[in-house]
Amino acid sequence: QDIGALLDWIAQDPELDEARTGVWGGSYGGYMVLACLVHYSDRLCCGINMVGISNFVTFLENTSEYRRDLRRVKYGDERDPSMREFLQAISPLTNADRIRRPLFIVQGANDPRVP
C-alpha cells in the first residue's frame, strides 16, 4: 500500500513523470522490486532487482543453517504447512506471470545471503 500511495503522489505532482517511474533495490529491497512489479506493473516502467528474494520457501530451505532460525523468525517458518502455503502464495516467482514490465536481475551463482 505504501508503494501505491507513493505512485499516487508521483502522479499528482506536475514536476514528476509518472510514466518514467521505476523501482530499484537489493536484498530485501530486491524482493520489494519484484513485489512492486507483481502488484503495480501497470504503473511502473521497469525494475532492477539485485539479489532479491524471489521465493521465500526456497530462500528459507537453502539459507545457511546458522542463519535459518533467525530468518524463520523474520519471514515465517516454512516447515509449518499453512505458513509454507502463505509464503509460496506471496513469493514473486509464483506470480511472475503478472510482471509486465522490463526487469533486470542481478544475482550471483552462489550468494550466501539470498541462496
Side-chain angles (χ1 to χ4, degrees), residues 4 6 8 17 28 30 34 44-45 47 50 62 67 77 85 111:
L6 173 63
D8 291 342
D17 185 353
Y28 190 81
L34 297 172
L44 296 167
C45 71
M50 296 176 50
N62 294 302
R67 298 179 75 181
D77 191 336
E85 183 178 342
D111 184 344

Side-chain angles (χ1 to χ4, degrees), residues 1-68:
Q1 292 175 340
D2 291 344
I3 298 298
L6 173 63
L7 294 172
D8 291 342
W9 177 79
I10 290 170
Q12 293 173 5
D13 189 324
E15 294 189 23
L16 300 175
D17 185 353
E18 67 178 309
R20 294 174 50 187
T21 302
V23 287
W24 174 90
S27 194
Y28 190 81
Y31 162 74
M32 183 270 314
V33 168
L34 297 172
C36 284
L37 288 171
V38 165
H39 296 286
Y40 299 105
S41 269
D42 60 328
R43 300 180 69 188
L44 296 167
C45 71
C46 63
I48 301 171
N49 162 27
M50 296 176 50
V51 300
I53 299 168
S54 60
N55 184 307
F56 283 105
V57 173
T58 59
F59 165 72
L60 291 165
E61 289 176 340
N62 294 302
T63 293
S64 297
E65 193 171 330
Y66 78 96
R67 298 179 75 181
R68 198 170 298 144

